[in-house]
Amino acid sequence: MTLNGALIENDGSALLIHPRDSVAVALRPLAPGTPIGIKNIVARDDIQTGHKIAVQLIKRGSPVLKYGEFIGLASADIEPGQHVHLHNLSMGPHRAELPGDLVSSVEEPAREGAVVEFKGIVRPDGRVGTRNYIGIIPTVACAGTVCRLIAGDVSKRYPELLQNVDGVAALTHEGGCAAPSSSGGGLDSLQRCLGGFLCHPNFGGVLLVGLGCEVNQYRFQLERAGLTQGPTVRAIGIQELGGTSRTVELGVQIVKEMLDNAGKVKRKVMPASEIVLGLECGGSDAFSGITANPALGVAVDLLVAHGGTAILSETTEIYGAEHLLARRARNPEVERKLLECVQWWEAFADRHGYEINNNPTPGNKAGGLTTILEKSLGAVAKAGTTTLNDVYQYAERVRERGFVFMNTPAYDLPSITAMVAGGATVVCFTTGCGSTVGCKPSPVIKIASNSPMYERMSEDMDINCGIIAEGRLSLKAMGEKIFRKIMAVASGEKTRSEIFDYGEVEFAPWQMGVML
């Protein structure tokens, strides 16, 4: 069994990911005295499922290796069989060059002969969607309640029109004012983000609602997005219409017209090359980088082989593993753009008095992850193995096909929001602790990294990758299963988060600028 080219040794008690690793991962709770078949060690401590156990002597100050890569320094001497976690493993340097740490070539997956297809929705600009929503979006937080009132009134007054679409989504947010009017910073990223949603192929129509006195005037927002008003994009202002009631009434009539048109849309058979996939992980555990993320990586390679696009994001969760992505850059310019994203985050964290190792979260640590380096090595596995074709800033529209990267924070909600703004029409979300979010208008597929969580939260999970660690399915077979699920969801099959109607309150453009 392989994991991105690394050997896995599994004796049922623990799992060794790479031959040069100094730690293994416990597959079940290990009591002191439990014999481990890997390197004939014996557990010296109580070690919980997913946590690390030393498979050799690690001297204080020496590198600790997992995935064949550096995840930190031993802060004390660690004997074989001891628990390795916060008490004896520290962050150490950003990353360490290891013997044999050579630049490797990228092997592109062979393109399959048969064309893989799904049933998509073709928009007037030629882009292909996977859903057919009507969106109601405020230019500013102050218009959010009016957007929700419009959506609620439409649902009450015209329920029959909702039967032919996926729904009406009111996507409110906290920005749009109290920011410098010049471009740059928070206003710039907000306008990019809203612009991406205004022209997203999963929307059959979008109503933009302004207040009237905000910095982000709807005229400015439309201009920034390169849009003019027409049948699928309309804009109205609360102050100019005379208040809430008049605005809601006009908004309801506009949305009704959009629903009439959107309800006539039919799905068409399209090639997999038209899919843009967002890649996310949240509530990660030690198995995320062993099961769910690399299995998703297999699916990504399949999608890229068929001409599709996949977006990796969360810059602070590639930290310490960015060299693995830099090796795959299409050219020096793409590599430079990637490394500049990492350097920007180092400077940003330093200015605010934070360390990037403040991530992992308490839930990550409880699941066995110790440092951001360890978390990042598992996180990048979901990006597969193909060439990195381009790097984009937050919520920029993705134009290159194949595998690309987007510079976002690691917080799930603004990260997914940015990828959808960039054009993602489907999102795959791996989780070890059990995340439940969605992101309208794009469906989110939840992929569990371990079976206990999947069984406990099966109503929220779409796929269980825990069976990989149990030896019941290979990584390759699971990756193929995820790929088939992506095609089915792109064709209209509902995900668990859609069944629960997640995806509106999770709309979260990144608030990164100065408020005045």
Side-chain angles (χ1 to χ4, degrees), residues 478-497:
M478 181 59 76
E480 292 169 347
K481 180 177 180 179
I482 294 172
F483 180 69
R484 290 193 298 272
K485 185 70 172 181
I486 294 168
M487 294 299 108
V489 168
S491 298
E493 180 182 294
K494 297 294 184 183
T495 66
R496 299 286 184 169
S497 64

Side-chain angles (χ1 to χ4, degrees), residues 329-350:
R330 178 174 68 177
N331 54 42
E333 174 65 12
V334 172
E335 179 181 6
R336 179 189 64 78
K337 289 165 69 175
L338 176 73
L339 298 180
E340 283 181 349
C341 291
V342 174
Q343 292 159 6
W344 183 92
W345 275 98
E346 288 180 317
F348 181 76
D350 185 63

